[in-house]
Amino acid sequence: MPEPHEPRIRTARPADDEALVLIDRLTWSTLHAVMPEPQPPYEPFFSERHSPEDTLVAELDGRVVGYVRLGLPTSLACNAHVRQIQGLAVADEARGRGVGRTLIRAALDEARRRGARRVTLRVLGHNTPARKLYESEGFVVEGVLPEEFLLGGEYVDDVFMGRSL
């Protein structure tokens, strides 16, 4: 059992939807988001594309403070050995406490458990903190789409990263 100050990781439950929607709303920024800022009425966190079973949540002191989504990059059987991190967010009050790193490691463990050989992700080129965190966990840049997005008046690269398990 983790120490009280360490994040506890578990599979998401449908009842986490409201807390996860709130984290997405409060952490939204052009540093990492390509979708427009969420506006009411807010979409549910879970959908046909993203189920609770594909989301790991981090709790501190019994509260949900972050999540990582781990999905399939495509629906093709020939690509089923790859998992993709399709979202990672940590509430501001939990930053600097190892929550993001713990979520990444848990996602890698879950991907292994599901039989994956690789994990990939996409990160915006200007998101230096996220890129450094991913690199420190073994991810390497495997490709770049230059100026793929126009965010806040600036053109931003879309960076593909991956690692073997």
Side-chain angles (χ1 to χ4, degrees):
M1 182 148 204
E3 296 295 318
H5 60 280
E6 292 179 5
R8 176 181 173 265
I9 307 298
R10 63 170 173 80
T11 302
R13 301 184 285 256
D16 295 321
D17 193 273
E18 189 175 320
L20 295 171
V21 167
L22 183 61
I23 288 171
D24 268 354
R25 282 184 25 224
L26 296 177
T27 61
W28 184 92
S29 162
T30 56
L31 182 63
H32 61 80
V34 296
M35 299 298 290
E37 185 171 5
Q39 300 294 320
Y42 300 108
E43 295 289 319
F45 187 83
F46 300 116
S47 65
E48 212 172 90
R49 184 171 175 230
H50 296 290
S51 69
E53 296 79 28
D54 294 329
T55 304
L56 300 174
V57 298
E59 292 181 331
L60 283 174
D61 305 319
R63 289 188 25 238
V64 174
V65 295
Y67 72 86
V68 62
R69 278 183 167 157
L70 188 65
L72 293 166
T74 71
S75 60
L76 301 170
C78 62
N79 189 225
H81 64 285
V82 179
R83 292 298 182 277
Q84 185 176 60
I85 292 176
Q86 297 177 337
L88 172 71
V90 176
D92 287 345
E93 70 269 12
R95 293 202 179 170
R97 296 179 65 183
V99 174
R101 184 174 307 281
T102 302
L103 282 165
I104 291 169
R105 289 177 179 173
L108 295 173
D109 289 344
E110 181 64 15
R112 274 187 207 93
R113 190 184 73 71
R114 294 182 184 193
R117 294 174 45 91
R118 288 180 35 78
V119 175
T120 62
L121 59 89
R122 294 168 68 173
V123 61
L124 294 175
H126 66 189
N127 192 345
T128 303
R131 290 181 63 182
K132 284 184 177 181
L133 176 60
Y134 293 133
E135 287 170 1
S136 74
E137 291 300 319
F139 287 86
V140 297
V141 173
E142 296 181 339
V144 177
L145 294 175
E147 298 184 353
E148 186 71 3
F149 299 105
L150 177 63
L151 302 171
E154 301 287 327
Y155 289 100
V156 180
D157 296 348
D158 188 9
V159 179
F160 291 81
M161 298 183 82
R163 63 159 287 174
S164 297
L165 294 176

